[in-house]
Amino acid sequence: MGFLTNLHGLPDALVAAVKNDPYQGGGDISVTKLIDAPQKRYLAKRYKDAVVEDVSERIWALMGQAVHTVLERANTSALVEKRLFADVDGWKLSGQFDRIHLSDGVMQDWKVCSVFKSNGDEGWTRQLNVLRWLANRNGIVVDKLQVVAIFRDWKRSELERKRDYPNQPIRVIEIPVWSDEEVFSYIKGRISLHQRADAGEAIECSDEDRWFSGTSYALIKAGGKKATRVAPSMDALGDPPKGYEIIERKGSNRRCESYCEVAPFCPQYQKLKEQEGVEDDVGL
């Protein structure tokens, strides 16, 4: 970690809590890093003394840690927050689970997140399946995976407006369980990518890694603002009827733009910004 700023003048106690993060990894790569973009991990290591983050960007991570602290009050027979290790292709993989209920073989991960993820998330599926593999390799039998999601932006007023809206600010989400062969193949593939990135190979971030929204095309009544139809291509909309026009809505790389601390050092993102600038000039 490079520099931690406090641009919004948040209380000293909050700043200290963020700085005194007790997280300790271990091994060559953690499960969290394994499933994330190799380029992001490589750049974070290379520019670790130059990366700048603001305290405000760590708040929700801090709240997630607070939930785990509260759960320690639950005096149960479950295994809690134990770090596990396994050797894979010359690297030591490490991962820490939140809770494992030994009596029924259920691994739970507790997350503070947006309602947007109320039906699950592909990243969660990857994370928990790798953690399950680690647990099984360390003699802990896990047959079932769950995320206990606490929705930080839940609103009771949305219940009547949205059919699939969660009926309470917390939900237990069942996570699909991969076969042992599938998860081991995934782990080996990811470790290979990270090893290649560490060796200097450019492993560019995918659309998923960048949270790319995708370019879309909107059919809008001339002079209006609200789209009648939106499609991923102009061909899908066909010729616009009289009095309507098709407007291109360029996709954005949301993670790069707002949520990636190494974006200033990322050659891929700088190239994307340059390309967007050229395209904007052409359109003038």
Side-chain angles (χ1 to χ4, degrees):
M1 176 63 200
F3 303 98
L4 190 66
T5 59
N6 185 17
L7 300 178
H8 305 284
L10 298 178
D12 291 343
L14 192 61
V15 176
V18 170
K19 285 183 176 180
N20 297 328
D21 187 343
Y23 172 78
Q24 292 182 346
D28 296 292
I29 191 168
S30 68
V31 172
T32 304
K33 299 293 185 184
L34 180 81
I35 68 175
D36 205 354
Q39 180 168 239
K40 184 176 184 295
R41 173 180 169 274
Y42 168 73
L43 291 173
K45 287 174 59 180
R46 181 176 178 182
Y47 296 101
K48 63 180 181 180
D49 295 328
V51 170
V52 177
E53 284 188 274
D54 192 69
V55 174
S56 61
E57 297 169 354
R58 298 278 198 92
I59 296 304
W60 292 117
L62 186 65
M63 291 300 98
Q65 294 174 3
V67 168
H68 293 168
T69 299
V70 171
L71 286 173
E72 291 176 1
R73 300 177 186 173
N75 187 18
T76 68
S77 59
L79 289 179
V80 179
E81 296 187 341
K82 182 177 181 180
R83 183 159 292 277
L84 305 171
F85 299 88
D87 293 320
V88 181
D89 292 343
W91 274 20
K92 188 175 290 294
L93 172 65
S94 75
Q96 180 172 298
F97 58 81
D98 285 350
R99 298 176 72 82
I100 294 179
H101 299 266
L102 297 175
S103 59
D104 50 12
V106 177
M107 176 185 286
Q108 287 185 334
D109 197 69
W110 291 67
K111 296 185 181 294
V112 177
C113 61
S114 169
V115 169
F116 177 75
K117 294 188 175 183
S118 60
N119 291 315
D121 178 87
E122 285 297 322
W124 296 352
T125 299
R126 297 167 190 145
Q127 177 195 6
L128 265 71
N129 273 282
V130 176
L131 284 172
R132 172 182 177 270
W133 181 87
L134 273 174
N136 290 343
R137 283 290 294 266
N138 283 268
I140 306 171
V141 178
V142 174
D143 300 311
K144 192 174 182 180
L145 303 172
Q146 296 176 338
V147 165
V148 181
I150 300 172
F151 305 122
R152 60 177 181 249
D153 53 355
W154 185 86
K155 297 178 182 177
R156 187 175 298 277
S157 59
E158 296 293 305
L159 283 173
E160 296 180 359
R161 295 182 61 250
K162 299 178 181 179
R163 180 183 300 177
D164 296 330
Y165 200 78
N167 58 10
Q168 54 193 6
I170 186 169
R171 171 181 284 180
V172 177
I173 301 171
E174 302 293 334
I175 301 297
V177 176
W178 294 350
S179 68
D180 291 342
E181 294 77 12
E182 184 179 4
V183 68
F184 187 51
S185 175
Y186 172 77
I187 292 170
K188 287 174 67 68
R190 296 302 298 180
I191 283 181
S192 175
L193 283 175
H194 283 280
Q195 289 175 335
R196 286 160 53 193
D198 277 8
E201 183 177 344
I203 309 293
E204 292 195 337
C205 292
S206 65
D207 287 355
E208 182 182 0
D209 292 330
R210 304 192 314 272
W211 302 352
F212 180 61
S213 61
T215 298
S216 61
Y217 298 85
L219 179 66
I220 299 177
K221 191 171 183 178
K225 294 182 178 180
K226 188 174 181 180
T228 302
R229 285 179 58 201
V230 178
S233 69
M234 292 185 68
D235 291 342
L237 291 176
D239 295 330
K242 186 177 181 180
Y244 284 79
E245 58 185 343
I246 296 177
I247 303 296
E248 181 184 35
R249 293 176 172 174
K250 291 185 178 181
S252 62
N253 299 289
R254 293 192 304 110
R255 190 182 195 186
C256 308
E257 294 165 4
S258 304
Y259 299 99
C260 182
E261 70 277 9
V262 297
F265 312 103
C266 178
Q268 181 185 5
Y269 180 50
Q270 301 310 315
K271 183 178 178 180
L272 286 171
K273 288 201 299 182
E274 289 175 6
Q275 291 174 345
E276 290 170 1
V278 170
E279 292 173 359
D280 287 345
D281 290 340
V282 171
L284 291 176

